């Protein structure tokens, strides 16, 4: 049974405005350290990164999700949009034995009143030891250095399974 609300869930991390622009280097958009033994079987980490400005008029944008030493998944979005708002949502679910993790990412960017939008979704998997500290990270890489993304706010929440 998954219960919500304290003490069964808690915010692990929140963030405020951050801008990534003018680089083709893979850059951390969101990252937290998960202490050893915090995650257990069937626990869930859910989160959202709100995008206040997404500029990718040409080329592609690649999101990656990492847990521990594993690159869990990659989501490449070919765009052609500028000055859009959007969000990245993500989750990580610990398997019933505790030794495997599954998850997913969803990305959408659009402009109010416009039919122009981009979106993408991907599922992920890892096999990391939850008894040690692990980093949970979302990164972004642009194919052209003239592109950029601004995150306005974001959070990750741990939902414990009891």
């Amino acid at each position: 049974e998954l219960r919500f609300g304290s003490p069964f869930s808690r915010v692990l991390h929140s963030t405020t405005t951050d801008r990534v622009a003018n680089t083709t280097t893979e850059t951390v958009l969101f990252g937290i350290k998960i202490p050893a033994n915090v995650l257990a079987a069937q626990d869930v980490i859910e989160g959202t990164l709100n995008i206040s400005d997404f500029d990718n008029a040409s080329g592609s944008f690649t999101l990656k999700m990492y847990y521990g030493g594993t690159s869990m998944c990659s989501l490449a979005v070919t765009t052609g949009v500028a000055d859009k708002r959007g969000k990245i949502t993500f989750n990580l679910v610990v398997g019933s034995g505790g030794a495997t993790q599954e998850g997913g990412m969803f990305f959408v960017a659009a402009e109010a009143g416009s039919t122009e939008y981009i979106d993408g979704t991907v599922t992920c998997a890892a096999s990391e030891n939850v008894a040690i500290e692990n980093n949970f990270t979302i990164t972004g890489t642009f194919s052209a250095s003239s592109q950029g993304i601004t995150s306005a706010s974001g959070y990750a929440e741990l939902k414990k399974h009891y």
Side-chain angles (χ1 to χ4, degrees), residues 27-116:
T27 305
V28 173
L29 301 175
F30 188 87
I32 55 175
K33 287 189 183 297
I34 308 295
N37 299 310
V38 166
L39 293 178
Q42 299 178 338
D43 286 350
V44 177
I45 294 175
E46 288 183 345
T48 298
L49 189 59
N50 295 304
I51 307 302
S52 62
D53 184 27
F54 182 74
D55 295 309
N56 196 33
S58 64
S60 64
F61 176 64
T62 303
L63 285 166
K64 288 188 179 178
M65 186 164 87
Y66 295 88
Y67 179 65
T70 302
S71 172
M72 293 183 69
C73 58
S74 179
L75 175 61
V77 181
T78 302
T79 65
V81 298
D83 301 319
K84 302 297 181 205
R85 290 177 173 79
K87 69 179 177 178
I88 301 165
T89 58
F90 51 87
N91 64 51
L92 175 80
V93 180
V94 180
S96 60
T100 60
Q101 300 83 37
E102 295 181 353
M105 263 192 313
F106 174 73
F107 174 76
V108 64
E111 184 177 3
S114 172
T115 59
E116 182 181 48

